[in-house]
Amino acid sequence: MDIDPSILAAGLIASRARSARITADLDGERLLGPKLRIVNPPLWEVGHVAWFQEFWCLRHRGDGAPRDSILPGADALYDSARVAHDTRWTLPLPSLDATRSYLAGVLALVLRRLEREGGDADLRYFVQLATFHEDMHAEAFHYTRQTVGYPDPFPQSDSMPPAEGASGDAALEGGRFLLGASPGGGFVFDNEKWAHEVQVAPFSIARSAVTNAQYLAFVESGGYGRREYWDDAGWAWRESAVMQSPRHWVKQDGSWRLRRFDQVLPLPAEHPVLHVNWHEAQAYCRFAQRRLPTEIEWEYAASFGAPGAGKRRYPWGDAAPTAAHANLEGNGTAPVGAYPHGDTASGCRQMIGNVWEWTASAFEPYPGYVVDPYKEYSQPWFGTHKVLRGGSFASSRALLRNTWRNFYTPDRGDIFAGFRTCAKD
Ligand code: FE
């Protein structure tokens, strides 16, 4: 499937427009921000996005030495594989203006090259890689703003999509299933390759993600203090974190509220619980006598249409996502009953968009895994990370599909993640 170079150029420009909006007001103290293990200094991250695009779309030459950067010394500043995370606050970084000039200069050169050499399959691949890399950093900027309490980068709209019910479980038959991406479907990451047959036992999965109201019952029962709900690693995390509720929940005058960016608002009961880590999701499951889906079950539920029909690219079919299907590139979470047009064949809602969903599965390579040119994307993280699926309101529309695998360590609650559950046998 060869994508027209003009579509790729439009994708680059759209990704830049969104990341520019999320970083537009970074200035003064916010340029470096607090030194935390889970965030990057914004000034560094903006430059890193430019560096990555330049490296893969303009400088990379197969096995040969890369061409020079238009910014002398760029590799020593922005190569995330070589510049240790905790040194990024003290690097001699260019000013914000100079960093933005680098960013704009690289984009202009890439667009020009795409016009000239758009027939080059390698260039088309790397342009997509750089676009999706920028999309992922835009989402990271977005959740960093929540972590450190900067203002919401997007104005809130009053018009929420209508929420209907999507309660209870969908019972799925299981059977043989092709897990992963098939060749010929466009750009994929190495960790999705390739589709291979797996056996799925019958299972029942919730039509909706767990809501704040449901999670509140766990919190109010004292679940964060009850050892029996946590496995050893989860309890070790809970003891070190000293928490009694999800991060950003605040109890004021007897009722629970939620810090959203720089504001504290009433806890939206029918929205999905957000900013819970894998341990918290697992503990809730023990409380509710449910379990997390495996990533095989998740992908099966999202992709399975009618018996005998092929696998769907998206929960609703093969059509690219619109604003009616899924909460992507949005302002914030929507109620779990919203977006009925995006339902799967079995009636599961919001499997794409709104919140990332933790699965029970460890992030591992598929059989026959071969690393792609950007070697640090998947390979360093196998075994230590858990798989999330589906994307959040802050994810790019162009990025996601049913086979897309995200992965974080089980202690990460800063990302835009919640979860849905399965019935226990
Ligand atoms: Fe990066």
Side-chain angles (χ1 to χ4, degrees):
M1 194 166 77
D2 285 353
I3 293 195
D4 190 298
S6 67
I7 294 175
L8 297 181
L12 279 169
I13 292 165
S15 289
R16 177 59 47 82
R18 190 163 172 88
S19 63
R21 278 184 74 187
I22 297 173
T23 55
D25 60 352
L26 296 174
D27 216 342
E29 286 186 353
R30 288 185 189 158
L31 280 179
L32 291 180
K35 187 172 173 180
L36 301 175
R37 185 178 57 84
I38 54 173
V39 305
N40 277 305
L43 182 62
W44 180 87
E45 201 166 358
V46 171
H48 163 75
V49 164
W51 174 86
F52 188 95
Q53 188 177 82
E54 186 192 28
F55 184 85
W56 290 109
C57 301
L58 299 171
R59 301 176 54 202
H60 173 64
R61 282 194 282 205
D63 293 334
R67 296 178 184 88
D68 287 341
S69 170
I70 59 169
L71 181 75
D75 293 339
L77 297 174
Y78 299 125
D79 184 347
S80 50
R82 295 196 329 201
V83 180
H85 179 262
D86 64 355
T87 66
R88 294 175 188 170
W89 280 262
T90 50
L91 294 167
L93 296 172
S95 68
L96 181 60
D97 280 350
T99 308
R100 285 187 172 143
S101 310
Y102 176 43
L103 194 64
V106 169
L107 178 59
L109 289 170
V110 173
L111 291 172
R112 219 181 301 159
R113 182 162 183 219
L114 204 47
E115 243 174 60
R116 271 197 329 262
E117 302 168 47
D120 180 330
D122 280 350
L123 178 64
R124 288 203 305 269
Y125 172 85
F126 288 121
V127 164
Q128 289 176 90
L129 177 68
T131 305
F132 298 142
H133 176 260
E134 182 156 356
D135 288 342
M136 288 185 253
H137 275 284
E139 182 161 350
F141 278 127
H142 205 147
Y143 66 67
T144 294
R145 295 184 71 113
Q146 168 69 30
T147 300
V148 299
Y150 295 163
D152 187 347
F154 298 109
Q156 287 297 293
S157 67
D158 295 331
S159 61
M160 262 292 162
E164 300 164 23
S167 56
D169 287 349
L172 295 168
E173 272 178 31
R176 286 205 301 272
F177 173 63
L178 280 175
L179 178 72
S182 294
F187 183 96
V188 287
F189 282 100
D190 52 10
N191 64 49
E192 296 167 81
K193 298 184 215 176
W194 287 114
H196 57 287
E197 199 170 279
V198 293
Q199 189 67 33
V200 188
F203 66 104
S204 292
I205 187 166
R207 291 203 157 92
S208 297
V210 171
T211 63
N212 282 320
Q214 290 167 329
Y215 200 88
L216 179 62
F218 169 61
V219 171
E220 297 273 83
S221 78
Y224 276 69
R226 290 175 63 175
R227 179 66 182 85
E228 67 268 29
Y229 295 145
W230 305 78
D231 65 16
D232 291 347
W235 188 248
W237 169 80
R238 217 301 288 142
E239 290 217 289
S240 69
V242 199
M243 283 164 44
Q244 298 299 325
S245 67
R247 58 197 59 56
H248 312 317
W249 285 32
V250 236
K251 202 164 197 180
Q252 286 179 350
D253 304 326
S255 60
W256 286 101
R257 296 168 72 84
L258 183 67
R259 178 175 71 74
R260 193 173 179 284
F261 298 98
D262 60 347
Q263 300 188 320
V264 178
L265 305 164
L267 185 69
E270 291 310 307
H271 285 230
V273 66
L274 185 65
H275 298 301
V276 284
N277 69 25
W278 188 84
H279 299 305
E280 291 167 286
Q282 289 283 33
Y284 173 86
C285 284
R286 283 192 198 92
F287 159 80
Q289 300 184 2
R290 303 276 293 177
R291 64 176 178 82
L292 288 178
T294 64
E295 71 165 321
I296 296 174
E297 289 169 331
W298 193 99
E299 189 170 314
Y300 178 90
S303 317
F304 183 74
K311 192 172 162 179
R312 294 177 171 185
R313 183 172 173 83
Y314 303 103
W316 53 87
D318 292 331
T322 66
H325 288 125
N327 186 14
L328 297 167
E329 300 182 17
N331 302 339
T333 56
V336 298
Y339 298 94
H341 295 300
D343 281 3
T344 65
S346 55
C348 291
R349 193 155 297 175
Q350 295 174 5
M351 292 199 80
I352 295 277
N354 215 22
V355 291
W356 287 102
E357 297 181 10
W358 288 107
T359 72
S361 303
F363 182 51
E364 297 289 358
Y366 287 162
Y369 170 80
V370 177
V371 68
D372 274 345
Y374 174 26
K375 292 188 177 62
E376 296 82 13
Y377 182 69
S378 307
Q379 200 167 40
W381 321 116
F382 289 133
T384 51
H385 287 45
K386 302 292 182 187
V387 174
L388 300 99
R389 294 298 197 105
S392 80
F393 67 87
S395 303
S396 149
R397 219 168 255 156
L399 184 67
L400 296 171
R401 54 196 163 268
N402 286 338
T403 60
W404 212 88
R405 306 170 81 198
N406 198 356
F407 43 91
Y408 279 93
T409 50
D411 59 335
R412 286 291 292 271
D414 56 319
I415 53 178
F416 294 127
F419 61 101
R420 77 177 65 215
T421 62
C422 284
K424 286 175 85 166
D425 303 330

